[in-house]
Amino acid sequence: MGFKLGYSGLRWQTPDLDQVLSELKEAGWEGWEVRQSLDWLGSASRVKSISDRAGIPVAVVAGGEITLNGDSEMIERNKRRIDFAADVEADTFMFMGAARPYGCSSTSNDILQLADLADKFADYAAQYKLDVCYHIHTSTTVDSREEWEFLMRSMKQSKLCIDVSHSAFWHYDPAQSIRDFKDRLVYVHLQDYKDYRFVELGEGGLLDFSAVMTALEEVEYSRWVTVCPSQSDLPDKEKMWRDRAYLRKLGY
């Protein structure tokens, strides 16, 4: 297995980092994804120190809210998170598209604006030799296989994060999407889904996770694969143990 297994802080609003990262290490995870406000996290040196102490490095730092109107404050706030990502020695900075109201369609111009913004972030991050990746996600600017393919043709420098659940939502076989975009792929999210909410891996039946992992090995993917915690009522610690146990059952 050439890739590393991480766990997302997606649902931790105000975590006790010392505690939660120690629990991640105990459960068998190798890294974590930063989603929290920088106001809560504090300095990059503080976060890196805690992460190093727990033996759980920062894999990826996620960006903040995106708009397509060229808002300077939005751009600067995301640049600060890129700075933070570089300082904690993250592998990648990840961001999603703008929120897309239900029932509304994106125009080609919307997607071109998103591609331009992605490449602006990539230009800025290049000073740190840090990759920037676009995270596919439903109900954002890009919300279909066709729009995703158009975005990939339009982005010149930004890389890609495939969330296999969202690929499946768009009826694009997740394993095939990994093969199709292997040259741009720098980050992977694993999630499962059932009855209108995200659940623990293997409990939703949304997709074939074994086929996904096999595809990653076939394309010799060697970076982070991160699990996003479910929306269940289970304690955070139990979620991280269940998801890790499921991947072990698959041989990882």
Side-chain angles (χ1 to χ4, degrees), residues 111-208:
I111 297 173
L112 290 173
Q113 286 179 313
L114 178 62
D116 183 64
L117 180 63
D119 287 339
K120 280 185 170 67
F121 287 155
D123 278 339
Y124 183 79
Q127 65 182 304
Y128 303 120
K129 296 182 172 57
L130 176 71
D131 280 330
V132 167
C133 64
Y134 177 75
H135 170 18
I136 62 164
H137 201 288
T138 53
S139 300
T140 63
T141 309
V142 168
D143 199 11
S144 69
R145 174 175 177 169
E146 293 73 23
E147 290 175 343
W148 179 11
E149 291 171 334
F150 179 47
L151 177 69
M152 297 307 297
R153 293 193 299 271
S154 303
M155 291 192 307
K156 305 305 180 186
Q157 299 182 65
S158 186
K159 307 297 185 181
L160 175 66
C161 166
I162 292 180
D163 183 312
V164 295
S165 66
H166 295 284
S167 185
F169 290 150
W170 295 335
H171 307 293
Y172 190 170
D173 178 66
Q176 188 59 48
S177 72
I178 287 167
R179 296 184 186 98
D180 290 345
F181 293 118
K182 63 182 180 179
D183 293 335
R184 302 283 291 277
L185 186 64
V186 296
Y187 194 39
V188 175
H189 267 177
L190 302 182
Q191 294 191 94
D192 206 350
Y193 191 80
K194 183 180 182 180
D195 297 333
Y196 304 102
R197 69 175 186 169
F198 290 101
V199 296
E200 275 65 50
L201 296 185
E203 295 187 6
L206 177 66
L207 55 97
D208 184 343

Side-chain angles (χ1 to χ4, degrees), residues 7 32 55 83 96 172 250:
Y7 196 82
W32 71 291
D83 297 336
M96 296 188 294
Y172 190 170
L250 296 184

Side-chain angles (χ1 to χ4, degrees), residues 1 3-7 29-31 213 224-225 244 247 252:
M1 181 177 82
F3 45 83
K4 298 165 283 189
L5 295 175
Y7 196 82
W29 299 101
E30 298 172 272
M213 305 304 265
W224 286 98
V225 175
R244 191 66 191 89
L247 291 178
Y252 300 94

